Short mmCIF file of all heavy atoms in Angstrom, two decimals:
data_model
loop_
_atom_site.label_atom_id
_atom_site.label_comp_id
_atom_site.label_asym_id
_atom_site.label_seq_id
_atom_site.Cartn_x
_atom_site.Cartn_y
_atom_site.Cartn_z
N GLY D 74 7.91 8.23 -4.56
CA GLY D 74 9.15 8.51 -5.28
C GLY D 74 9.45 7.48 -6.35
O GLY D 74 8.67 6.57 -6.61
N GLY D 75 10.62 7.66 -6.97
CA GLY D 75 11.05 6.75 -8.01
C GLY D 75 12.44 6.23 -7.75
O GLY D 75 13.24 6.87 -7.06
N VAL D 76 12.72 5.06 -8.29
CA VAL D 76 14.03 4.42 -8.17
C VAL D 76 14.57 4.18 -9.57
O VAL D 76 13.94 3.46 -10.36
CB VAL D 76 13.92 3.06 -7.43
CG1 VAL D 76 15.28 2.36 -7.40
CG2 VAL D 76 13.36 3.24 -6.04
N ILE D 77 15.70 4.77 -9.86
CA ILE D 77 16.32 4.56 -11.16
C ILE D 77 17.07 3.23 -11.16
O ILE D 77 17.82 2.94 -10.23
CB ILE D 77 17.28 5.72 -11.49
CG1 ILE D 77 16.49 7.03 -11.59
CG2 ILE D 77 18.07 5.45 -12.77
CD1 ILE D 77 17.37 8.26 -11.75
N CYS D 78 16.83 2.42 -12.17
CA CYS D 78 17.56 1.16 -12.28
C CYS D 78 17.60 0.74 -13.74
O CYS D 78 16.98 1.35 -14.60
CB CYS D 78 16.90 0.08 -11.43
SG CYS D 78 15.28 -0.46 -12.00
N HIS D 79 18.35 -0.31 -13.99
CA HIS D 79 18.46 -0.82 -15.35
C HIS D 79 17.20 -1.63 -15.69
O HIS D 79 16.63 -2.29 -14.84
CB HIS D 79 19.69 -1.73 -15.47
CG HIS D 79 20.10 -2.00 -16.88
ND1 HIS D 79 19.45 -2.92 -17.68
CD2 HIS D 79 21.06 -1.44 -17.65
CE1 HIS D 79 20.03 -2.93 -18.88
NE2 HIS D 79 21.01 -2.04 -18.88
N ARG D 80 16.82 -1.50 -16.93
CA ARG D 80 15.67 -2.25 -17.43
C ARG D 80 15.77 -3.75 -17.14
O ARG D 80 14.77 -4.43 -16.96
CB ARG D 80 15.56 -2.01 -18.93
CG ARG D 80 14.38 -2.63 -19.64
CD ARG D 80 14.42 -2.26 -21.13
NE ARG D 80 14.59 -0.82 -21.28
CZ ARG D 80 13.60 0.06 -21.07
NH1 ARG D 80 12.39 -0.34 -20.76
NH2 ARG D 80 13.84 1.35 -21.20
N GLU D 81 16.98 -4.26 -17.13
CA GLU D 81 17.19 -5.69 -16.92
C GLU D 81 17.47 -6.03 -15.46
O GLU D 81 17.82 -7.18 -15.15
CB GLU D 81 18.38 -6.18 -17.77
CG GLU D 81 18.28 -5.88 -19.25
CD GLU D 81 17.35 -6.83 -19.97
OE1 GLU D 81 16.97 -7.86 -19.38
OE2 GLU D 81 16.99 -6.54 -21.12
N ALA D 82 17.32 -5.05 -14.59
CA ALA D 82 17.63 -5.30 -13.19
C ALA D 82 16.70 -6.37 -12.61
O ALA D 82 15.52 -6.43 -12.96
CB ALA D 82 17.50 -4.01 -12.38
N HIS D 83 17.25 -7.17 -11.73
CA HIS D 83 16.46 -8.18 -11.04
C HIS D 83 15.27 -7.54 -10.34
O HIS D 83 14.16 -8.08 -10.38
CB HIS D 83 17.36 -8.90 -10.02
CG HIS D 83 16.87 -10.25 -9.61
ND1 HIS D 83 16.16 -10.46 -8.45
CD2 HIS D 83 16.99 -11.46 -10.21
CE1 HIS D 83 15.87 -11.75 -8.35
NE2 HIS D 83 16.36 -12.39 -9.40
N ILE D 84 15.49 -6.38 -9.74
CA ILE D 84 14.37 -5.73 -9.03
C ILE D 84 13.23 -5.38 -9.97
O ILE D 84 12.09 -5.29 -9.56
CB ILE D 84 14.82 -4.46 -8.25
CG1 ILE D 84 15.44 -3.41 -9.18
CG2 ILE D 84 15.75 -4.81 -7.11
CD1 ILE D 84 15.64 -2.05 -8.48
N ASN D 85 13.55 -5.17 -11.24
CA ASN D 85 12.48 -4.85 -12.19
C ASN D 85 11.86 -6.08 -12.82
O ASN D 85 10.67 -6.12 -13.07
CB ASN D 85 13.03 -3.94 -13.30
CG ASN D 85 11.93 -3.47 -14.24
OD1 ASN D 85 10.88 -3.03 -13.78
ND2 ASN D 85 12.15 -3.57 -15.54
#
Side-chain angles (χ1 to χ4, degrees):
Chain D
V76 176
I77 297 173
C78 68
H79 196 281
R80 184 179 309 285
E81 305 282 347
H83 201 262
I84 59 169
N85 186 47

